[in-house]
Amino acid sequence: MPAAEAVPPPFAFRPGMPNLQVMPASSPAPSRPPAAETLPRCAVCGTGSRQQPFRPNPPEQAPDLDLRPGEPVRSTMARWLQQCPSCGYAAPNITKAHPAAAQAVAAAPFRALLAEAGHPPLARRFLAWAHVLEETGALHAAAEATLQAAWVADDLGRDDLARMWRLEAVALWRGGPPLDAEQTVRVIDALRRAEAWPDAAATAEALGLSDPPEAVAQVVGLESRLIAARDAGRHTVASALPPPSRRPHVSHQKVVPRGEGLVAKLRRWFGRG
């Protein structure tokens, strides 16, 4: 993803803030002047707003096959993204933005997305971030954000939206740079959860024939069995990998993709890696 645009330093005073009173000469001077509140400024429109930074603690449960983290991180999705209350720009940190983000936020498709009342508000936040990422060329990151919108739909029992957004995530993954074996596993899981059975089966078969790493092969084997059983439900990586022998188990905070720890992956997702 291209480098984020430089952000001007936070302003010291907000418009409309009353001026400090000048103390009479005979009055003792205060030990220090009242401090002005400094708020994070949106990198797109410059609006200051209170935003809660999020730093995830290590999950204690294994992630799903699509790498949705286990608890306690699983239930914190409402804190994963910030959103500007003025322009609607959403990101892990709204004080940073790609140089082309402002144009994407101002365009009609983004405004229509924010106004889509049929989509859950939290899902719209993830879709808003996905839209900016897609418009700025970060297709794989846009796929991640779209999949996260599907997770929101899962939690709300909106299976129709979850299926739609998983298929959109697959299209974004496939539209970006070539996928490695670990990323392809997530595509297979998204297709299975969306009940796209022929595509899921063909993708799993092709990956299985490519001599993937051992851990990937075990997950693909589970995915293939689930696809054959027409099982579109949630399953964890722990159900595919045995307890540790030569390598740590996923429930011990290790995840299949390139040996990257789940906490490190989350930090990268949230812009802290």
Side-chain angles (χ1 to χ4, degrees):
M1 179 176 176
E5 184 180 27
V7 180
F11 56 87
F13 293 91
R14 290 181 287 114
M17 181 177 289
N19 295 326
L20 297 176
Q21 295 291 330
V22 178
M23 301 297 293
S26 59
S27 301
S31 58
R32 58 177 180 267
E37 183 181 20
T38 301
L39 299 176
R41 296 178 65 188
C42 175
V44 170
C45 71
T47 300
S49 61
R50 287 184 177 84
Q51 300 289 340
Q52 183 68 35
F54 177 58
R55 291 175 175 81
N57 293 321
E60 298 175 1
Q61 297 178 1
D64 294 354
L65 289 173
D66 63 3
L67 297 189
R68 180 176 181 179
E71 296 291 5
V73 181
R74 186 182 189 88
S75 298
T76 62
M77 290 190 67
R79 297 166 52 204
W80 291 7
L81 295 180
Q82 300 174 356
Q83 188 162 30
C84 175
S86 179
C87 69
Y89 173 60
N93 181 353
I94 61 170
T95 67
K96 299 179 181 180
H98 186 280
Q103 182 177 357
V105 167
F110 185 88
R111 312 317 302 173
L113 189 159
L114 293 183
E116 178 51 72
H119 295 167
L122 180 56
R124 289 203 301 266
R125 194 185 311 166
F126 284 102
L127 293 173
W129 176 224
H131 180 83
V132 171
L133 289 168
E134 181 180 4
E135 290 298 304
T136 54
L139 297 186
H140 286 183
E144 293 276 2
T146 305
L147 179 63
Q148 288 161 8
W151 296 346
V152 175
D154 288 338
D155 292 345
L156 297 175
R158 294 295 307 272
D159 294 343
D160 55 333
L161 295 178
R163 283 192 293 270
M164 178 175 70
W165 291 332
R166 280 188 165 90
L167 293 176
E168 289 180 5
V170 168
L172 288 165
W173 267 314
R174 287 173 166 172
L179 297 168
D180 61 22
E182 292 83 0
Q183 291 170 315
T184 303
V185 169
R186 303 184 74 199
V187 169
I188 294 168
D189 192 72
L191 290 168
R192 177 184 66 81
R193 296 289 302 273
E195 302 182 15
W197 306 117
D199 195 353
T203 306
E205 181 180 9
L207 181 56
L209 293 173
S210 69
D211 192 25
E214 178 187 356
V216 173
Q218 288 179 294
V219 177
V220 172
L222 174 59
E223 290 281 11
S224 297
R225 294 191 295 274
L226 295 173
I227 292 165
R230 295 297 190 263
D231 184 340
R234 171 199 171 204
H235 294 270
T236 70
V237 178
S239 61
L241 301 179
S245 53
R246 289 171 295 169
R247 65 176 183 281
H249 189 248
V250 65
S251 61
H252 295 182
Q253 315 313 326
K254 295 293 183 181
V255 177
V256 173
R258 300 190 180 282
E260 182 182 31
L262 181 58
V263 175
K265 184 173 185 65
L266 287 169
R267 286 176 178 160
R268 176 166 59 78
W269 285 352
F270 300 133
R272 295 182 174 85

